[in-house]
Amino acid sequence: MRIDFINKTNKFFPKVVELGKKYSATLGFMPDGGFEDHANKRCIIIAYDDNQLLGYLMYREVPKYSRVSIVHLCIDERYRGKHIPNNLLDALKNKYKTINQERKHNEE
């Protein structure tokens, strides 16, 4: 399994939109423009193997509070129970851990 932050030019982006729409009853409605906005900011993290999307995590930054907020965490039902959410969350935590360390370093 591989984990990547993607934008809308990534080959998996249409599959992210498709997966989000498939589970919209649970996730809540997200217009296509919402997916594109998050992708433009590279705020979509995917888990994949070869050419198969396993799941994704979509988030937004909340700079006012120095936080991030998870918008969607969606795993294809065929791949549930395989710790994919943990891997996606770890990627998100690691990104912001590094950013916070850099900020602290620059403030010193």
Side-chain angles (χ1 to χ4, degrees):
M1 172 181 17
R2 296 191 58 196
I3 304 289
D4 279 326
F5 289 76
I6 66 165
N7 60 28
K8 70 180 184 181
T9 63
N10 184 282
K11 71 178 182 178
F12 286 108
F13 179 72
K15 293 181 180 185
V16 167
V17 175
E18 181 182 325
L19 190 63
K21 288 181 186 265
K22 180 178 179 180
Y23 295 107
S24 65
T26 305
L27 296 169
F29 174 73
M30 174 69 66
D32 289 346
F35 283 98
E36 289 179 11
D37 288 346
H38 285 85
N40 286 338
K41 297 174 186 172
R42 296 187 69 85
C43 290
I44 299 176
I45 311 168
I46 62 168
Y48 64 99
D49 274 332
D50 300 319
N51 287 317
Q52 186 62 48
L53 177 68
L54 309 177
Y56 72 91
L57 185 152
M58 184 186 322
Y59 67 97
R60 64 185 174 90
E61 295 177 335
V62 187
K64 180 178 180 180
Y65 300 108
S66 298
R67 295 206 164 105
V68 296
S69 175
I70 295 173
V71 176
H72 281 181
L73 176 56
C74 185
I75 309 301
D76 188 299
E77 63 190 23
R78 297 172 290 174
Y79 305 106
R80 294 180 184 168
K82 300 183 185 297
H83 306 288
I84 296 167
N86 294 344
N87 292 321
L88 292 167
L89 288 167
D90 286 346
L92 182 61
K93 285 189 250 182
N94 288 337
K95 175 181 180 176
Y96 286 93
K97 180 179 178 181
T98 303
I99 289 172
N100 286 335
Q101 288 172 345
E102 289 173 0
R103 283 183 187 153
K104 285 180 183 177
H105 178 73
N106 290 337
E107 290 173 358
E108 294 175 353

